[in-house]
Amino acid sequence: MSVCSFCLRAMAYMETVRSLRIAILVMTVILVVEPALGSFMVEKNSLTVITPKSLKGTYQSAIGNFGVPQYGGTLSGVIVYSTVNLKGCDKFPDDYFRSKPGAWPNFALIDRGDCYFSTKVWNAQQAGAAAVLVADDKHEDLITMDSPEEDPSASQYLQKISIPSALIEKKFGDSLKKALSDKEFISMKLDWRESLPHPDDRVEYEFWTNSNDECGPKCDAQVEFVRNFKGVAQILERGGYTQFTPHYITWYCPQAFIESKQCKSQCINNGRYCAPDPEKDFNKGYDGKQVVTENLRQLCVFKVANESNPRQPWKWWDYVTDFQIRCRMKDNRYGPECAEEVIKSLNIDVDKVRKCMGDPNADADNDLLKHEQEAQVGSGVRGDVTILPTLGINQRQYRGKLDKTAVLKAICSGYQETADPPVCLSDTVETNECVDNNGGCWERGSVTACKDTFRGRVCQCPLIDGVQFEGDGYTHCEAHGPERCKVDNGGCWEETRLGVHHSACHGHHHHHGCHCPWGFEGNASRVEGGCVDVDECSRKLKCQCPECKCTNTWGSYKCECSGDLLYFHQHDTCINQKGAQSETAGWVVSLIVLAGISVLGLGSYVVYKYRLRTYMDSEIRAIMAQYMPLDSQSEIQNHSRDDVI
Ligand SMILES: *[C@@H]1O[C@H](CO)[C@@H](O)[C@H](O)[C@H]1NC(C)=O
């Protein structure tokens, strides 16, 4: 189709189908990348007027793309039309539309124009309306009321809109107003039961999305939705209740511009597949090229998981949510390295994914992306995908806010009566996902970061016996605080031999990680090797004087001297007994005393005195040990460790 017929139609929808601005932006800013588009489909619900008799009958209305349409249900109410604030752009008086207890709910009738559709609906909801009908202001076919895309003030209330809304034709709106001015009581029923086909016991649905995580409130809402909906989506898919397919909108670069800088930075496969630059600035941050490549990777992850044996198509949800958490553009992690880490952690075959992606620099078609381009042009009743994100359910486009409950309600309305899966009745079911490869989360022994929740599995460092673990939940978690050695010895090595215990965990506030105690070396971790004894003798670290005889022990060493000599631990040498010992010691002591006093002053002298005493005590013990070999081993070990502290 030609660009211009698209332009014309785009202009006609501009006020409402604001998401088309994605496409328009691409065309005006970049001027070259065209989306492939065919026809836009308006999803409808039916509206039945019950009274007055003169209006009785069924009318079409177009479901607004925000708030919560009651898919599969009906809602009856009475029309209320405010004579001031006709367009609903200002706040209504408190409780203006609220119905009395026991009475039918009130539907606000509001005129189109002057402000966002969503503003009108929000104002009516705040004043107590149960639903909103917006009357078109010109004679035309029904359009979809969309939410404003890049208005920060609107995004604050958008997620809070919880009532359904619909656009009605001008002619119908006029006759309603006429009846009201004649003091008629208008009651009607809004009906969404036939909004979606519900032919059998399986719902086919598709989600059109984008891996770009930096596009303002709409992207944030999309990320949030995927995260929240994942658990339910996986239950449905595992149970065979649904067949889900992810899709990615793809643009292409017209032939004439393939060599341009814009197409080169935004497209892969020689201009065949493009995505708009995330920052809309070619000179900074990420390029469209990287986005379209990640989109392709996500498609391939789905394909590989869908074709693996056994089939696990639901892993796409894990991949996408983990990628959003671990590989954000904000953190500068968006890209192939991080993506492949996630793929591996989910036990998906990286080589198959790479093979599926092919060579993005090749001047050749990529089967998957080619298929995506064809699929986004509407076929049959579904219509083109122009609003991002778009959810298609049973070949129709979902309208309403992307919210777990609202979407689940819509999917559940897609089953033949009585064929609803249990999750349609309750969504508090666990997914048992931690069983498989620990859900790709961090684990160490019995300590795991994998949590089964009704939102699917999440990787979150645990809190165990009051010990908080901190980390990313995927590749590492570490215990913090003085109690950190309590759980699993902080993940550190520990061992007891012949009543002697050594540990690589130190439970002080400022300590973290594992460190081998003196006399040991190694990586100190519990699972990877731990600590091994250092052989002080063969390494010639200790006890090397000519009269010394060195014996290695576990965590320490033992030194014996020949003849009458005694081992003087502090100086790692053999000395004469008695006289020589006190002489040498006295000499050394007075020297240190002098230095200590002169350098450190009186304060350190006091400290020194204390140290001197312990030093003397331990020296005596060392000497005694020489005479009482049976009792000596642990004494010397303690002693030798004191030496280094
Ligand atoms: C996923 O697998 C199912 C069953 O093999 C198949 O019918 C479906 O077309 C596959 N979906 C995609 C997008 O490849």
Side-chain angles (χ1 to χ4, degrees), residues 41-95:
M41 195 64 77
V42 175
E43 300 301 331
K44 293 170 182 163
N45 62 318
S46 74
L47 186 163
T48 308
V49 174
I50 303 163
T51 57
K53 242 196 175 98
S54 59
L55 283 174
K56 217 172 159 93
T58 297
Y59 303 81
Q60 290 290 310
S61 61
I63 305 175
N65 200 26
F66 44 79
V68 182
Q70 303 294 308
Y71 278 101
T74 60
L75 185 66
S76 297
V78 179
I79 289 289
V80 178
Y81 184 54
S82 164
T83 45
V84 290
N85 193 13
L86 295 174
K87 292 178 176 166
C89 296
D90 302 314
K91 272 193 73 153
F92 290 98
D94 287 347
D95 294 332

Side-chain angles (χ1 to χ4, degrees), residues 13 60 106 169 313 327 354 405:
Y13 289 137
Q60 290 290 310
N106 289 332
E169 286 172 359
C327 313
R354 283 189 193 154
T405 319

Side-chain angles (χ1 to χ4, degrees), residues 243 245 302 306 311:
Q243 185 175 45
T245 316
F302 178 78
N306 190 39
R311 280 184 71 224

Side-chain angles (χ1 to χ4, degrees), residues 203-221:
V203 168
E204 288 81 37
Y205 74 110
E206 52 185 34
F207 185 47
W208 287 86
T209 180
N210 192 337
S211 66
N212 176 5
D213 65 9
E214 284 285 311
C215 68
K218 253 207 158 141
C219 279
D220 296 345

